Amino acid sequence: MLKDITIGQFFPGNSIIHRLDSRFKILLDIAYVVMLFIAGNYCSLLTAGVFMLIVYMLSGISFKLIFKSLKPLLPIIIFTCILNLFFIHGEGEPLVQLGFITIYMEGITTSVFMTVRIVFLIVGMSLLTYTTSPIALTDAIERLLSPLKKLHFPVHELAMMMTIALRFIPTLIEETDKIMKAQMARGADFENGNILRRAKNMVPLLVPLFVSAFRRADDL
């Protein structure tokens, strides 16, 4: 699972998307997010999806990365889908009614719509880091926020902080994988047992991970 997390990673390339100005890519990504949230029907939502599909094809990024970027967030996507399915009520008779569980057609429609929106959002935001180096991303954020310097806003520090936080994700994932393997070699079990037992088994993993994260932050 840890190897499937691609958030914050950069994949070098020479495609037209890689060569685009980083500021333009950030603004394009913001416009894409706005497009997703103002989409009120499946036609506009699918239009945004087709647009991102074309951009992925131009970037040369493997479509396997799309599934990798979604896999770690699958529980959140499923949870959102279930919430909309069971808690969105509509007019008329419910399609399914089992005790306190009622499912309306509006709930199904909203659930599917929100799930597709979240999937498109994750895929679109991931492409920015896939095709933009950390230095270029930091420089672009700082240039876009440069007008705030007149208000004595710490633009450089903010841009650097945002980029470091994003790029620390792969480092922490690698550190987590190493700690998990070390704990499993000592007999730790992170997969079997009930929820309470598995949560208890996570303590030997979380403690050294937090210590390592604070040490890295202090060194930085």
Side-chain angles (χ1 to χ4, degrees):
M1 177 66 75
L2 293 175
K3 295 180 180 179
D4 292 330
I5 301 178
T6 58
I7 299 174
Q9 296 188 26
F10 168 60
F11 299 91
N14 194 36
S15 68
I16 185 174
I17 304 300
H18 283 82
R19 297 195 302 268
L20 281 177
D21 189 283
S22 301
R23 292 170 294 177
F24 178 74
K25 285 192 283 187
I26 292 177
L27 294 176
L28 191 64
D29 221 24
I30 294 175
Y32 173 74
V33 172
V34 173
M35 186 190 308
L36 286 178
F37 279 97
I38 65 175
N41 52 61
Y42 283 104
C43 182
S44 54
L45 193 63
L46 291 177
T47 300
V50 171
F51 167 75
M52 185 52 57
L53 180 63
I54 295 175
V55 174
Y56 260 91
M57 294 174 64
L58 292 175
S59 68
I61 298 294
S62 173
F63 287 102
K64 293 181 179 179
L65 289 177
I66 297 179
F67 299 102
K68 280 192 173 184
S69 64
L70 293 174
K71 189 175 180 181
L73 300 175
L74 193 59
I76 298 177
I77 297 174
I78 295 176
F79 181 69
T80 304
C81 178
I82 293 175
L83 282 181
N84 286 278
L85 183 63
F86 292 146
F87 291 96
I88 297 296
H89 294 169
E91 298 178 357
E93 294 294 328
L95 297 178
V96 178
Q97 189 167 10
L98 297 174
F100 64 93
I101 297 177
T102 56
I103 300 177
Y104 292 81
M105 178 56 70
E106 287 80 359
I108 296 177
T109 304
T110 305
S111 178
V112 174
F113 189 85
M114 291 299 297
T115 302
V116 174
R117 174 183 284 173
I118 293 175
V119 170
F120 285 175
L121 178 65
I122 296 172
V123 171
M125 296 301 293
S126 298
L127 184 62
L128 178 62
T129 58
Y130 290 167
T131 60
T132 311
S133 67
I135 295 177
L137 190 61
T138 303
D139 186 55
I141 294 174
E142 184 173 354
R143 289 187 178 184
L144 288 174
L145 297 179
S146 58
L148 296 178
K149 290 182 179 179
K150 297 180 180 179
L151 301 177
H152 303 287
F153 192 81
V155 174
H156 177 73
E157 289 78 4
L158 177 63
M160 184 66 68
M161 182 176 61
M162 291 173 61
T163 307
I164 289 175
L166 184 63
R167 297 305 176 182
F168 242 72
I169 295 176
T171 303
L172 291 178
I173 292 174
E174 182 181 355
E175 190 75 20
T176 303
D177 187 51
K178 291 180 179 179
I179 297 174
M180 285 185 66
K181 290 180 179 178
Q183 296 294 347
M184 290 172 66
R186 297 183 178 92
D189 187 0
F190 299 105
E191 298 180 357
N192 300 319
N194 55 35
I195 297 178
L196 293 178
R197 182 176 179 83
R198 293 173 65 179
K200 184 178 179 180
N201 291 338
M202 292 295 291
V203 175
L205 170 65
L206 295 177
V207 172
L209 180 62
F210 271 97
V211 171
S212 175
F214 282 117
R215 184 184 297 116
R216 288 179 182 273
D218 184 62
D219 292 340
L220 182 63

